[in-house]
């Protein structure tokens, strides 16, 4: 069994960081502003072209600060080295570096952006003090308090944070040590975690598990993060008899997300089928009094942990959502919090070049014209960071992808994120990045330490396996830059709980600052509702289709119906295409039978149900 030491040990003292402060040096005034070849929406084009033609009025934050006329990125090696040295950010205590030298922003651009940055710093300061930073939902935004409870605006919240952290650590230690056991496992202790959740209730735990879970964790983690029945069956089948020693952690802030509810119902059925009592192995992480919370309380689940109203799903990794699964895997969560707290502290300076999150936001704004005209490709050269880009997809795109700005103007903002890992991706799509459509900027994540000391060896004279990885990263960075493709490089010493906590905090803050720069609300997600609502309407329509088919199938003889007839009897002729799709889906799953024709020619088919349900007919 893995040792308990370190899972929740106290954090080392958090000292203030010192970053290198450089005099402001003059860079060349020209740089590249590549127009977007394929703007995503007409409104983007409008915003960009207006911005380029008109001088920015900096009193209005929704104006775009234009780039200057450009002649190409700096290519002289000595000038570049100078730029590298001048702009290099270092966080000594975290061993983290940020190199923005391969993004071509100019002094003039930085100067023009300065008032916006000061406004953004002020906004984050207010947010940290407890302002209603999510105006639509009337909520405070408090994820920064999770790693430094002293910052919380009142003692009630402070105590809530501290008590939850203590409860998470205590529970994890008792599960790992075997003090809390499953009722009917031959192992006598929990051996696995099955995490059920989606979006912000899955992506952080998935990223952290991949990055930090030890080779032989005390509990191995699996995820159900979808309502795909085959995917769920696969997870349960892979657990096999281990289901008896599996802790099921159901995570949902709202407590009512359909995919998570379905995952829970499927897992509960698997428990029943195996003759196991789910409640003795179930844990809920959710807002107090949510549907999930009430279910867990009434059914007497093993444990419940709170999710706070003032923590958004995509910034919840440092709440019980991320901490409990991590602690159960033997990951030192207090170290994660310490790394995040150190990074937060560094990001509180109002000196732009000393503020790593602001530097990232500056680069994003420059590279994407402040309107998301280029995608952010995230390339960690370390297998364990594979899921970082996936995690960032939600953090960045759900936060920044907004139709309206804070003043109600239609802006269609956003910043697209994708990427997997290097050097693997060099053998997949780097060809296009280097030579093809120029619609991106890259972020390299470099990890200096290749493997634990004492394990390295030279696979050819003077060269290790890790040297190749290093060479691939440097080579790709140079090759992209030579073709005027900009890149940022974030460097950490090692992938540890502390550096992962710092990376999460760095990007959380960068997103918040960038949102202020472009004057949008980073903390709501109104667009997600449209898809959920439409899905609900499809399911409601399916129930009507079933009722109509059932009635026809209960007749003697059975009356097979065409799609047109079904649509007519549903009083939904305008939904005929969706009705066809519903029937095709039911037919593929043996829940409807095709009497005539084939699904390939929709007008030809006649359909009925295999069984008549008399009760349903009169319902
Ligand atoms: O944690 P839950 O309430 O189940 O929400 C899960 C996810 O649901 C929606 O898709 C939201 O847009 C996400 O921000 C959230 O993370």
């Amino acid at each position: 069994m893995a040792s308990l030491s370190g899972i929740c040990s106290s954090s080392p003292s958090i000292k203030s960081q010192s970053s290198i402060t450089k005099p402001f040096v003059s860079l060349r005034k020209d740089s590249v502003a590549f127009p977007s070849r394929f703007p995503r929406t007409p409104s983007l084009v409008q915003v960009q072209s207006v911005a380029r033609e008109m001088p920015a009025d900096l009193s209005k934050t929704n104006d775009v600060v234009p780039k200057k006329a450009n002649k190409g990125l700096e290519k002289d090696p000595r000038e570049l080295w100078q730029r590298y040295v001048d702009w290099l950010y270092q966080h000594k205590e975290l061993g983290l570096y940020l190199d923005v030298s391969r993004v071509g922003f100019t002094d003039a651009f930085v100067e023009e952006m300065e008032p916006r940055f000061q406004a953004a710093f002020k906004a984050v300061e207010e947010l940290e003090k407890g302002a209603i930073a999510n105006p639509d939902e009337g909520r405070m935004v408090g994820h920064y308090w999770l790693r430094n409870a002293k910052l919380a605006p009142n003692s009630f919240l402070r105590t809530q944070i501290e008590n939850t952290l203590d409860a998470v650590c205590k529970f994890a230690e008792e599960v790992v040590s075997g003090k809390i056991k499953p009722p009917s496992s031959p192992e006598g202790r929990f051996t696995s975690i099955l995490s059920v959740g989606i979006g912000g209730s899955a992506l952080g735990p998935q990223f952290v598990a991949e990055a930090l879970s030890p080779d032989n964790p005390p509990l191995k983690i699996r995820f159900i993060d979808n309502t795909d029945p085959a995917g769920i069956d696969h997870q349960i089948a892979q657990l096999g008899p281990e289901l008896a020693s599996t802790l099921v952690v159901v995570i949902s802030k709202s407590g009512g997300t359909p995919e998570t509810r379905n995952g829970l119902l499927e897992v509960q059925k698997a428990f029943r089928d195996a003759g196991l009592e789910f409640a003795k192995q179930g844990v809920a992480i959710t807002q107090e009094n949510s549907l999930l919370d009430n279910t867990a309380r009434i059914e007497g689940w093993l444990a419940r942990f709170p999710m706070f109203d003032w923590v958004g799903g995509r910034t919840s990794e440092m709440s019980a959502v991320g901490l409990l699964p991590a602690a159960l895997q033997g990951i030192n969560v207090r170290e994660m919090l310490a790394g995040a707290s150190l990074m937060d502290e560094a990001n509180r300076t109002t000196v732009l070049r000393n503020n790593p999150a602001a530097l990232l936001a500056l680069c994003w704004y420059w590279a994407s014209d402040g309107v998301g005209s280029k995608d952010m490709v995230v390339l960690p050269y370390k297998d364990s960071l594979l899921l970082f880009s996936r995690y960032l997809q939600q953090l960045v795109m759900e936060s920044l992808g907004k139709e309206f700005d804070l003043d109600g103007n239609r802006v269609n903002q956003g910043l697209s994120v994708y990427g997997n890992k290097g050097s693997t991706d060099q053998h997949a799509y780097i060809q296009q990045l280097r030579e093809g459509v120029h619609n991106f900027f890259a972020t390299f994540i470099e990890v200096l330490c290749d493997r634990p000391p004492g394990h390295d060896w030279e696979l050819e004279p003077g060269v290790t396996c890790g040297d190749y990885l290093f060479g691939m990263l440097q080579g790709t960075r140079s090759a992209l830059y030579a073709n005027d493709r900009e890149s940022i490089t974030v460097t950490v010493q090692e992938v540890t709980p502390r550096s992962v906590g710092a990376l999460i905090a760095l990007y959380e803050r960068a997103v918040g600052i960038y949102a202020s720069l472009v004057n949008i609300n980073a903390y709501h997600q109104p667009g997600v509702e449209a898809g959920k609502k439409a899905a609900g309407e499809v399911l409601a329509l399916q129930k009507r289709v079933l009722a109509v088919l059932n009635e026809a199938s209960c007749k003697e003889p059975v009356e097979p119906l065409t799609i047109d007839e079904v649509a007519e009897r549903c009083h939904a002729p305008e939904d005929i295409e969706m009705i066809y799709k519903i029937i095709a889906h039911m037919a593929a799953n043996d829940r409807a039978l095709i009497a005539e024709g084939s699904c390939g020619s929709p007008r030809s088919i006649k359909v009925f149900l295999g069984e008549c349900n008399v009760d349903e007919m009169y319902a």
Side-chain angles (χ1 to χ4, degrees):
M1 185 188 294
S3 145
L4 268 182
S5 66
I7 295 180
C8 287
S9 57
S10 297
S11 58
S13 65
I14 296 170
K15 293 186 215 135
S16 65
Q17 68 88 27
S18 57
S19 57
I20 295 175
T21 308
K22 299 282 175 219
F24 195 82
V25 291
S26 178
L27 301 171
R28 59 187 285 180
K29 296 281 179 278
D30 52 359
S31 193
V32 178
F34 303 98
S36 179
R37 282 184 59 196
F38 302 110
R40 290 181 191 79
T41 64
S43 56
L44 271 188
V45 180
Q46 284 157 9
V47 174
Q48 274 179 289
S49 59
V50 168
R52 290 212 165 100
E53 281 158 21
M54 290 166 54
D57 170 4
L58 290 176
S59 62
K60 289 191 190 161
T61 48
N62 50 344
D63 283 341
V64 173
V65 175
K67 292 178 180 179
K68 302 296 173 208
N70 60 81
K71 292 184 201 140
L73 294 170
E74 176 62 67
K75 294 288 163 51
D76 180 274
R78 274 161 313 206
E79 290 289 323
L80 264 180
W81 166 240
Q82 189 60 44
R83 184 172 169 82
Y84 176 82
V85 172
D86 289 339
W87 280 96
L88 183 66
Y89 170 84
Q90 180 201 19
H91 193 303
K92 282 200 182 124
E93 204 174 339
L94 285 169
L96 179 146
Y97 299 80
L98 175 61
D99 159 31
V100 294
S101 65
R102 266 44 174 195
V103 178
F105 55 80
T106 59
D107 282 1
F109 179 78
V110 175
E111 219 170 285
E112 270 186 274
M113 292 294 287
E114 181 64 22
R116 285 190 195 213
F117 273 100
Q118 291 310 321
F121 295 146
K122 190 85 203 133
V124 189
E125 194 188 320
E126 293 301 319
L127 176 150
E128 284 198 327
K129 283 190 197 148
I132 302 297
N134 180 354
D136 293 18
E137 297 175 5
R139 287 189 192 169
M140 296 190 288
V141 174
H143 48 275
Y144 299 115
W145 313 328
L146 295 171
R147 47 262 194 166
N148 187 351
K150 287 189 211 83
L151 288 176
N154 59 56
S155 59
F156 175 73
L157 295 183
R158 210 169 305 143
T159 311
Q160 253 191 337
I161 296 167
E162 285 165 353
N163 289 352
T164 305
L165 176 59
D166 289 344
V168 161
C169 289
K170 182 165 178 282
F171 180 79
E173 283 174 4
E174 290 183 353
V175 168
V176 172
S177 68
K179 191 169 168 200
I180 297 177
K181 327 178 178 356
S184 51
S185 155
E187 313 272 341
R189 65 176 190 93
F190 283 107
T191 57
S192 281
I193 309 157
L194 184 56
S195 171
V196 184
I198 197 166
S201 294
L203 289 160
Q206 286 168 333
F207 163 51
V208 166
E210 188 77 20
L212 296 173
S213 196
D215 292 341
N216 292 300
L219 279 86
K220 281 194 239 73
I221 193 161
R222 298 181 165 279
F223 294 91
I224 290 179
D225 64 354
N226 200 355
T227 185
D228 172 13
I232 296 170
D233 291 350
H234 179 64
Q235 294 303 329
I236 292 171
Q238 292 222 316
L239 278 168
E242 220 184 323
L243 196 63
S245 59
T246 295
L247 190 71
V248 182
V249 181
V250 186
I251 311 176
S252 173
K253 179 179 173 181
S254 62
T257 302
E259 291 92 332
T260 306
R261 183 205 72 142
N262 295 358
L264 168 61
L265 294 178
E266 292 275 358
V267 173
Q268 285 182 320
K269 178 176 178 295
F271 268 75
R272 279 197 303 277
D273 292 350
L276 298 167
E277 197 183 338
F278 176 84
K280 298 271 183 332
Q281 297 179 221
V283 175
I285 303 176
T286 184
Q287 284 191 113
E288 222 178 321
N289 290 325
S290 72
L291 190 60
L292 173 60
D293 190 41
N294 292 337
T295 306
R297 186 167 31 79
I298 292 162
E299 293 181 0
W301 292 15
L302 183 57
R304 292 182 291 134
F305 295 94
M307 214 190 147
F308 309 121
D309 169 60
W310 39 266
V311 175
R314 55 188 171 276
T315 51
S316 64
E317 179 47 33
M318 308 276 165
S319 72
V321 169
L323 299 182
L324 181 65
L328 288 165
Q329 292 167 84
I331 296 166
N332 187 334
V333 296
R334 290 197 195 266
E335 271 291 282
M336 255 170 72
L337 293 166
S341 179
L342 281 167
M343 179 50 73
D344 288 344
E345 213 171 306
N347 284 325
R348 283 192 193 104
T349 177
T350 57
V351 181
L352 172 52
R353 61 169 50 233
N354 292 344
N355 182 319
L359 283 173
L360 276 185
L362 174 79
C363 292
W364 298 355
Y365 195 105
W366 169 266
S368 78
D369 301 315
V371 292
S373 62
K374 289 213 169 63
D375 302 340
M376 173 156 68
V377 181
V378 179
L379 288 172
Y381 276 63
K382 190 52 75 181
D383 286 3
S384 63
L385 296 180
L386 171 73
L387 298 183
F388 192 41
S389 57
R390 202 162 164 224
Y391 169 76
L392 288 180
Q393 257 171 359
Q394 188 203 20
L395 178 63
V396 175
M397 295 175 74
E398 200 166 71
S399 300
L400 301 181
K402 299 292 154 71
E403 186 170 11
F404 298 103
D405 70 8
L406 285 165
D407 301 321
N409 304 306
R410 187 184 299 276
V411 288
N412 296 112
Q413 268 291 355
L415 190 57
S416 302
V417 181
Y418 68 93
N420 299 295
K421 65 180 166 101
S423 67
T424 317
D425 289 356
Q426 282 176 229
H427 302 270
Y429 59 77
I430 299 287
Q431 164 64 30
Q432 175 172 319
L433 296 194
R434 174 126 204 295
E435 297 182 350
V437 56
H438 187 168
N439 59 358
F440 76 97
F441 64 98
T443 303
F444 295 103
I445 312 284
E446 180 187 30
V447 180
L448 289 177
C449 186
D450 292 332
R451 48 161 60 121
H455 289 79
D456 227 350
W457 65 287
E458 293 180 356
L459 38 73
E460 59 190 68
V463 182
T464 66
C465 192
D467 293 339
Y468 267 92
L469 190 66
F470 164 79
M472 296 292 178
L473 188 162
Q474 299 305 333
T476 303
R477 173 176 174 269
S478 301
L480 289 179
Y481 190 77
N483 244 10
D484 288 332
R485 271 67 172 159
E486 297 170 300
S487 67
I488 299 163
T489 303
V490 181
T491 302
V492 294
Q493 298 292 318
E494 285 175 81
V495 180
T496 60
R498 189 172 268 236
S499 64
V500 166
L503 280 175
I504 290 172
L506 173 64
Y507 277 83
E508 280 178 352
R509 184 80 62 144
V511 164
I513 292 175
Y514 185 86
S516 285
L517 296 181
V518 299
N519 193 36
I520 55 149
N521 178 357
Y523 307 107
H524 67 168
Q525 51 286 327
V528 178
E529 292 311 311
K532 284 191 199 166
K533 193 165 163 268
E537 284 163 8
V538 172
L539 294 178
L541 181 61
Q542 175 169 312
K543 287 184 183 163
R544 278 153 66 200
V545 169
L546 265 174
V548 164
L549 287 178
N550 188 50
E551 199 172 333
S553 305
C554 286
K555 286 191 178 154
E556 280 292 345
V558 171
E559 182 192 9
L561 300 177
T562 64
I563 305 289
D564 282 284
E565 284 163 346
V566 177
E568 194 184 308
R569 292 186 194 188
C570 284
H571 307 291
E574 69 286 359
D575 290 328
I576 187 156
E577 184 179 317
M578 190 55 75
I579 288 170
Y580 161 69
K581 287 179 187 234
I582 287 168
I583 286 172
H585 178 241
M586 290 201 307
N589 288 283
D590 294 333
R591 289 156 63 208
L593 300 176
I594 306 290
E596 276 176 36
S598 83
C599 281
S601 39
R603 288 202 184 278
S604 72
I605 63 172
K606 282 198 164 190
V607 65
F608 66 102
L609 295 185
E611 278 175 32
C612 149
N613 187 337
V614 181
D615 297 339
E616 278 296 312
M617 232 179 97
Y618 301 109

